[in-house]
Amino acid sequence: MEILQYAFFQNALAGSLLASIVCGFIGTYIVTRRLVFISGGITHASFGGIGLGVFSGINPVISAMVFAVLSACGVQWLSQRGDVREDSAIAVFWTFGMSVGIICCFLTPGFMPDLPSFLFGSILTIGKADLWLLAGLSIVVIAIFTLFYRPILSVSFDNCFARSQHLPVTLIEYMMMALIAMTIVSTLRMVGIVLAISLLTIPQMTANLFTYSFKRMIGLSIVIGWADCLSGLAISYALNVPSGASIIFVSIILYALFKIAKTLTSMYRQPRATA
């Protein structure tokens, strides 16, 4: 328990809670709307912003967030055009962002100590600035879901029906794409580009095993996400392995266990119900 006295571990605990709150809201929208592939494209496109930030000497988080938001809006705009397929639009921004990031990193002289943390993540490296970013984003996300819950819910399940009800579907779609991009960038320090999409999908998939309610799914995914982070931190400290990979490993194992338990329970109840 002596590790709780260290500031970096206290930051990790606070960051995991804030990230679980943000990902609980945004991840539920992603899973319900089936935007996992789009979110993966935005995640990798954000590497272009990191490379630009490293090359120009500005904060990589700020440049990555701007680049990711522009990429997300670009994907949304291209996918709505009739002459470009959605997967093609994702591939354009995915590969463009990665290529820009790689070029800028190679053009930057000297050693880049922060680059591995953005690629593979390390929750133990987050500082006060990252916590303020997550806290501010949490407030914004909660406020938006509180004010626009009904339109977001309608767009999540059937945007055609939402349009027939004269809801601001276009505004909601662009706003949510921007929030997805900002959530991805704000969690890069925790799990990295390689694993960021997992934090936005696996806890929500686990929550979906127990409920189909959008609101309950948000709350349950927050709890599951925080439990995954705490368990991953414990494993990372005990085995001296990267924390980001540990968190995702735990989340996948928990999902698999709950999925198996639910399947076995259904198989057990079915013969009894038949009898």
Side-chain angles (χ1 to χ4, degrees):
M1 297 297 294
E2 66 275 5
I3 195 174
L4 295 176
Q5 302 174 3
Y6 295 101
F8 72 91
F9 200 80
Q10 295 172 2
N11 292 340
L13 293 177
S16 62
L17 175 60
L18 293 172
S20 300
I21 293 173
V22 175
C23 292
F25 282 90
I26 301 301
T28 301
Y29 175 82
I30 290 174
V31 173
T32 306
R33 187 74 191 278
R34 299 180 180 179
L35 299 176
V36 177
F37 187 45
I38 292 179
S39 302
I42 298 171
T43 302
H44 288 80
S46 65
F47 186 64
I50 294 174
L52 288 172
V54 171
F55 179 74
S56 59
I58 63 176
N59 191 337
V61 175
I62 297 176
S63 58
M65 187 164 291
V66 174
F67 199 93
V69 170
L70 293 177
S71 298
C73 294
V75 169
Q76 182 67 27
W77 179 74
L78 277 181
S79 61
Q80 289 181 343
R81 295 172 59 90
D83 55 343
V84 180
R85 290 175 53 181
E86 185 177 71
D87 54 350
S88 300
I90 297 169
V92 168
F93 286 93
W94 182 322
T95 54
F96 177 72
M98 292 297 293
S99 62
V100 170
I102 293 172
I103 291 172
C104 290
C105 288
F106 271 88
L107 290 177
T108 303
F111 177 66
M112 294 167 289
D114 289 337
L115 190 58
S117 65
F118 285 113
L119 290 176
F120 306 107
S122 179
I123 192 174
L124 298 177
T125 63
I126 64 175
K128 294 294 184 180
D130 300 304
L131 292 179
W132 281 113
L133 175 63
L134 283 169
L137 185 58
S138 300
I139 294 173
V140 171
V141 168
I142 293 173
I144 288 177
F145 270 77
T146 302
L147 294 174
F148 301 98
Y149 178 76
R150 288 297 179 184
I152 292 174
L153 181 65
S154 300
V155 172
S156 299
F157 287 97
D158 192 346
N159 61 344
C160 293
F161 172 77
R163 291 185 187 277
S164 67
Q165 299 299 308
H166 305 290
L167 296 176
V169 175
T170 302
L171 174 63
I172 294 297
E173 288 179 337
Y174 276 96
M175 180 176 64
M176 293 305 298
M177 290 296 284
L179 288 177
I180 290 172
M182 289 188 287
T183 301
I184 289 171
V185 174
S186 65
T187 57
L188 288 183
R189 288 281 192 184
M190 293 182 58
V191 292
I193 290 175
V194 179
L195 301 171
I197 190 60
S198 301
L199 203 62
L200 287 164
T201 55
I202 299 175
Q204 290 72 23
M205 291 168 58
T206 307
N208 199 202
L209 295 174
F210 301 98
T211 181
Y212 296 104
S213 169
F214 190 82
K215 189 176 294 185
R216 292 196 189 106
M217 191 172 166
I218 291 175
L220 193 55
S221 62
I222 292 174
V223 175
I224 294 173
W226 197 31
D228 292 341
C229 290
L230 296 179
S231 302
L233 271 174
I235 293 177
S236 173
Y237 176 72
L239 301 180
N240 194 23
V241 294
S243 56
S246 302
I247 292 171
I248 302 306
F249 177 79
V250 169
S251 64
I252 293 175
I253 294 299
L254 286 179
Y255 170 76
L257 291 176
F258 283 126
K259 181 68 174 178
I260 293 172
K262 183 178 181 180
T263 303
L264 293 177
T265 303
S266 301
M267 293 174 61
Y268 175 73
R269 288 178 177 176
Q270 189 173 2
R272 296 185 61 183
T274 305

